[in-house]
């Protein structure tokens, strides 16, 4: 028994679709491979940031978690700025944010430039650590914000949509050959 004309037409259509999808899948995969590689490597590093002191300084422990005994945030900001200047000779770096960790009795003062962090005892302002947080710039590479917030938005959407398209075309490249083999089987 031979294959019917309608089966031959279906096979021809499926084969053409497969050829097109292979091209889409290949080139989209090559473009996305760069983004996936960067995202994967930086994601692995970020997963280890709390365990590898080179990526992020270990969180120190202060004298007391009782916020009533802490000095003011403005005093902490002044102490942290002076500590960064004293330790690294950096006097004009603006503060990006101050993170309080009451359970540890400390405050982390993070600076805008250079990913610097100063940890202070919340109760007396004693400097516990002055170090760089390499995890901050790695995170900016990871999400694309190292270039700009707009670039971050575009790359994350391209990556997400691209992975969806790769999933769809990959499924089609797996499924259609099965369908073609089934159509090629002679009907009894």
């Amino acid at each position: 028994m031979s294959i019917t004309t309608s089966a031959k037409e279906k096979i021809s259509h499926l084969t053409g679709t497969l050829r097109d999808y292979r091209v889409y899948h290949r080139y989209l995969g090559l473009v996305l491979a760069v983004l996936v590689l960067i995202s994967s490597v930086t994601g692995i590093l970020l997963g280890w940031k709390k365990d590898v002191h080179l990526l992020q300084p270990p969180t120190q422990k202060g004298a007391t978690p009782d916020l009533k005994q802490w000095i003011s945030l403005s005093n902490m900001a002044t102490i942290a700025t002076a500590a960064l200047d004293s330790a690294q000779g950096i006097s004009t770096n603006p503060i990006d944010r101050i993170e309080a960790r009451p359970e540890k009795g400390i405050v982390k003062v993070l600076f805008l430039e250079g990913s610097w962090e100063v940890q202070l005892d919340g109760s007396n302002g004693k400097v516990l650590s002055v170090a760089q947080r390499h995890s901050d710039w790695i995170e900016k590479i990871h999400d694309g914000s190292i270039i700009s917030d707009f670039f971050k938005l575009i790359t994350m959407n391209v990556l997400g949509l691209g992975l969806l398209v790769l999933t769809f075309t990959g499924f089609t490249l797996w499924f259609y050959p099965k369908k073609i083999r089934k159509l090629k089987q002679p009907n009894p």
Side-chain angles (χ1 to χ4, degrees):
M1 299 197 183
S2 67
I3 301 172
T4 65
T5 306
S6 68
K8 285 181 183 178
E9 289 172 359
K10 286 179 184 177
I11 291 170
S12 176
H13 175 71
L14 292 173
T15 305
T17 303
L18 273 174
R19 272 190 221 104
D20 292 342
Y21 278 19
R22 275 192 192 99
V23 172
Y24 303 147
H25 193 82
R26 179 183 310 125
Y27 290 113
L28 182 59
L30 287 172
V31 170
L32 290 181
V34 174
L35 294 174
V36 168
L37 180 66
I38 291 168
S39 187
S40 297
V41 170
T42 55
I44 289 168
L45 291 172
L46 290 172
W48 284 91
K49 73 181 179 182
K50 301 258 186 212
D51 300 310
V52 177
H53 302 296
L54 179 63
L55 297 174
Q56 184 171 308
T59 302
Q60 303 297 315
K61 192 133 175 89
T64 179
D66 184 9
L67 296 175
K68 293 177 184 172
Q69 297 180 31
W70 281 23
I71 64 173
S72 72
L73 286 179
S74 62
N75 284 346
M76 289 188 213
T78 302
I79 293 168
T81 302
L84 183 61
D85 185 22
S86 174
Q88 299 298 321
I90 302 170
S91 61
T92 58
N93 197 346
I95 293 173
D96 181 34
R97 65 187 183 273
I98 298 175
E99 295 179 357
R101 305 287 166 89
E103 71 283 354
K104 299 264 186 178
I106 63 113
V107 168
K108 293 183 178 188
V109 180
L110 305 164
F111 291 86
L112 200 55
E113 298 165 4
S115 299
W116 287 100
E117 168 190 280
V118 176
Q119 292 185 40
L120 304 171
D121 186 315
S123 64
N124 57 24
K126 178 183 173 191
V127 177
L128 302 173
S129 168
V130 177
Q132 278 189 299
R133 292 171 55 110
H134 295 288
S135 60
D136 287 358
W137 62 264
I138 292 171
E139 187 173 340
K140 288 179 181 179
I141 292 171
H142 180 72
D143 68 11
S145 64
I146 196 161
I147 294 173
S148 73
D149 284 338
F150 181 70
F151 182 79
K152 171 185 173 178
L153 178 67
I154 296 300
T155 55
M156 290 300 110
N157 280 293
V158 166
L159 187 57
L161 292 172
L163 290 173
L164 284 173
V165 171
L166 282 179
T167 300
F168 176 75
T169 57
F171 175 78
T172 304
L173 292 172
W174 168 79
F175 181 72
Y176 276 18
K178 291 179 179 292
K179 194 171 184 178
I180 290 170
R181 279 193 293 277
K182 190 172 185 177
L183 286 170
K184 284 184 176 180
Q185 290 177 353
N187 294 332

